[in-house]
Amino acid sequence: MSLLEELYRETIMQHAQKPHNFGPLENPTVRVGGNNPSCGDQIELFLKLDGNVITEAGFTGHGCAISQSSASMMTDLIRGKTLDEALELERKFKAMVVEGQPPAPELGDLSALQGVAKLHARVKCATLAWNALEQAIEEVRSA
Ligand code: FES
């Protein structure tokens, strides 16, 4: 394993073992559930908004190291972003893990998940939280 791969692995394990923003938010603006149909693992995502800006993000649920670390890093990254900026991050994250494109710099630590693009069965794990984010934004906009 290269040094870089080892660093990525360490980042993933740190977030999976001690996920950031784990726990429900009180009085969220929106709350959505999502699941990975291939394994049954679930996530619930909570967002608080001030106008168009995500001021807080949290999640609960259970899943593998990839899904938990992805949710942990995503909830760190989207705090303080507008809904459009969050959707743009989602697009860039999916371009990396679904299409195998190089990580966009804005993704920060999430670039640790770039190897998922070669592990097709794990793509649904990495995108679980992001699909919930997309659904949450849709719900806010259609309310
Ligand atoms: Fe279930 Fe990864 S194995 S989310």
Side-chain angles (χ1 to χ4, degrees), residues 92-101 114 116-117 120 123 127:
K92 288 180 172 162
F93 181 76
K94 288 188 175 174
M96 178 180 79
V97 297
V98 180
E99 296 161 25
Q101 290 184 21
Q114 63 185 276
V116 168
H120 289 293
V123 170
T127 54

Side-chain angles (χ1 to χ4, degrees), residues 55-121:
T55 54
E56 281 184 67
F59 73 101
T60 59
H62 58 90
C64 61
I66 290 176
S67 69
Q68 297 297 288
S69 64
S70 184
S72 172
M73 291 188 266
M74 181 194 84
T75 47
D76 272 349
L77 190 64
I78 61 176
R79 195 177 317 115
K81 302 287 191 295
T82 66
L83 298 179
D84 280 343
E85 286 168 344
L87 284 175
E88 183 60 15
L89 288 167
E90 183 206 354
R91 193 188 63 71
K92 288 180 172 162
F93 181 76
K94 288 188 175 174
M96 178 180 79
V97 297
V98 180
E99 296 161 25
Q101 290 184 21
E106 303 91 304
L107 292 175
D109 278 359
L110 281 154
S111 62
L113 288 167
Q114 63 185 276
V116 168
K118 295 195 196 102
L119 308 166
H120 289 293

